[in-house]
Amino acid sequence: MDSSIRATKALHVLVATAFLLLAAASAGNFSQDVSVTFGGPRTQIFNGGQLLTLSLDNITGSGFESKNQYLFARFDVQLKLIPGDSAGTVTTFYLSSLGSNHDEIDFEFLGNSSGQPYTIHTNVYTQGVGNREQQFRPWFDPTNAFHTYTILWNPQRIIFMVDNMPIRVFNNYAARGVPYPTSQPMRLYTSLWNADDWATQGGRVKTDWTKAPFTVSYQNYNAVGCVAGAPANSCNGPWQTQGLDANGRNRIRWIQQKYMIYNYCSDVKRFPQGLPRECGLPRF
Ligand SMILES: *[C@@H]1O[C@H](CO)[C@@H](O)[C@H](O)[C@H]1NC(C)=O
Ligand SMILES: *[C@@H]1O[C@H](CO)[C@@H](O)[C@H](O)[C@H]1NC(C)=O
Ligand SMILES: *[C@@H]1O[C@H](CO)[C@@H](O)[C@H](O)[C@H]1NC(C)=O
């Protein structure tokens, strides 16, 4: 073999190996990446770390957190929610920093009576202040199959996605006086718990404990981002500048028009002193 062909072959092998390594590094493994926060054995891991279930019974719920803390990252996970009567239960997938002026980015799934729709609840806290709820109806049954939920948090914006469709954007308007999370590292948290004092139809529908234990499944967890303490250039990737293109803006307009059921920016009664500043700035 002539040496240039040998070199080319070697390069191909090298490139192929690099791709394999990248793929291996980016697929999450629950057994390695998370720790249980409460509920002990109610968190179970299957399939070599690919599938995790949380359960809730009349004693307690359960939850886990990422071992890593991140300063900007993209988190994807697939969730299959509680089928049938899930009234009173709340399933969560959120990011949070620590301390009193904490930042937080929330996905919460509020259960309902059999045959009634789940509510997808989102919120953003900056410097300890939330009050930025937006809620959606899923356009599919979130209990009969896995669907992908994504929180993207980069220096320019936060994007909430469902099955890769953007449903909410929170832009970095720090220059316009709206606090944005830029300096406090966050962990990913999940939980399944009983909130029947408020979660379903305003607390009127209670958890039916004869249906317990309730179980939700998480799979294909993937976090790509800047691990707190790691070198700054170790986390470069397209997620760092990801935003919405024209197609994404069309989709989010359509989703918000058809499936948004609550928007704090439209709730003028709640903010008699005036709506929060970001409500008057471009949404996407
Ligand atoms: C995930 O991690 C566990 C514990 O380290 C290991 O036993 C398992 O093989 C890993 N799964 C995969 C798919 O690599
Ligand atoms: C909780 O559920 C278990 C199993 O169904 C039952 O035996 C027990 O009495 C319940 N405990 C309470 C405090 O309701
Ligand atoms: C549950 O279903 C009722 C009736 O369809 C609906 O009004 C409510 O928003 C649903 N979700 C929750 C979390 O209560």
Side-chain angles (χ1 to χ4, degrees):
M1 220 192 304
D2 114 66
S3 68
S4 77
I5 293 176
R6 254 197 322 262
T8 311
K9 288 224 156 166
L11 185 65
H12 284 160
V13 170
L14 200 66
V15 169
T17 316
F19 269 102
L20 281 177
L21 287 175
L22 274 177
S26 70
N29 181 336
F30 286 121
S31 307
Q32 294 171 4
D33 302 343
V34 308
S35 3
V36 171
T37 48
F38 72 106
R42 291 170 187 79
T43 298
Q44 294 199 358
I45 297 179
F46 305 94
N47 300 354
Q50 303 305 290
L51 174 72
L52 181 152
T53 59
L54 293 183
S55 69
L56 163 71
D57 56 36
N58 61 3
I59 297 165
T60 182
S62 49
F64 67 85
E65 66 182 20
S66 63
K67 288 183 185 163
N68 286 332
Q69 288 183 286
Y70 299 84
L71 193 56
F72 302 121
R74 174 181 168 139
F75 301 85
D76 291 90
V77 78
Q78 294 188 319
L79 264 173
K80 193 157 91 172
L81 298 172
I82 300 163
D85 185 356
S86 57
T89 70
V90 175
T91 301
T92 68
F93 168 63
Y94 66 102
L95 310 185
S96 183
S97 64
L98 303 169
S100 52
N101 292 323
H102 80 297
D103 301 318
E104 187 178 316
I105 306 170
D106 296 333
F107 253 129
E108 299 190 356
F109 305 89
L110 314 185
N112 218 332
S113 346
S114 298
Q116 299 303 310
Y118 257 87
T119 294
I120 301 177
H121 174 101
T122 64
N123 202 356
V124 175
Y125 286 72
T126 56
Q127 303 288 310
V129 180
N131 300 325
R132 298 193 177 96
E133 298 85 354
Q134 289 185 351
Q135 295 184 332
F136 304 82
R137 281 271 176 270
W139 50 94
F140 49 85
D141 178 352
T143 72
N144 73 349
F146 282 95
H147 290 270
T148 306
Y149 302 90
T150 303
I151 297 174
L152 172 86
W153 168 40
N154 69 27
Q156 300 86 44
R157 59 190 71 80
I158 293 162
I159 309 178
F160 294 81
M161 284 177 270
V162 176
D163 289 335
N164 272 315
M165 301 257 267
I167 63 164
R168 174 173 188 176
V169 174
F170 184 81
N171 284 309
N172 183 348
Y173 284 132
R176 318 277 290 264
V178 182
Y180 187 82
T182 53
S183 58
Q184 308 191 81
M186 300 207 243
R187 276 201 168 83
L188 170 86
Y189 296 87
T190 69
S191 55
L192 169 60
W193 49 293
N194 176 40
D196 69 1
D197 52 333
W198 61 270
T200 303
Q201 302 181 35
R204 288 190 304 280
V205 185
K206 302 296 179 192
T207 306
D208 179 356
W209 293 110
T210 68
K211 308 270 168 52
F214 302 98
T215 301
V216 293
S217 306
Y218 294 76
Q219 74 173 17
N220 291 333
Y221 168 62
N222 201 7
V224 185
C226 302
V227 174
N233 63 358
S234 66
C235 54
N236 292 342
W239 65 274
Q240 283 181 305
T241 53
Q242 193 173 338
L244 301 189
D245 57 10
N247 186 29
R249 284 191 292 274
N250 283 338
R251 283 169 162 220
I252 196 172
R253 269 191 211 102
W254 182 77
I255 298 271
Q256 293 198 347
Q257 208 166 29
K258 286 194 69 133
Y259 299 105
M260 189 190 275
I261 55 170
Y262 178 79
N263 181 4
Y264 72 111
C265 281
S266 312
D267 198 347
V268 288
K269 274 201 245 121
R270 182 177 169 194
F271 300 101
Q273 317 297 330
L275 290 170
R277 188 170 298 190
E278 67 273 16
C279 296
L281 297 168
R283 277 183 301 166
F284 318 127

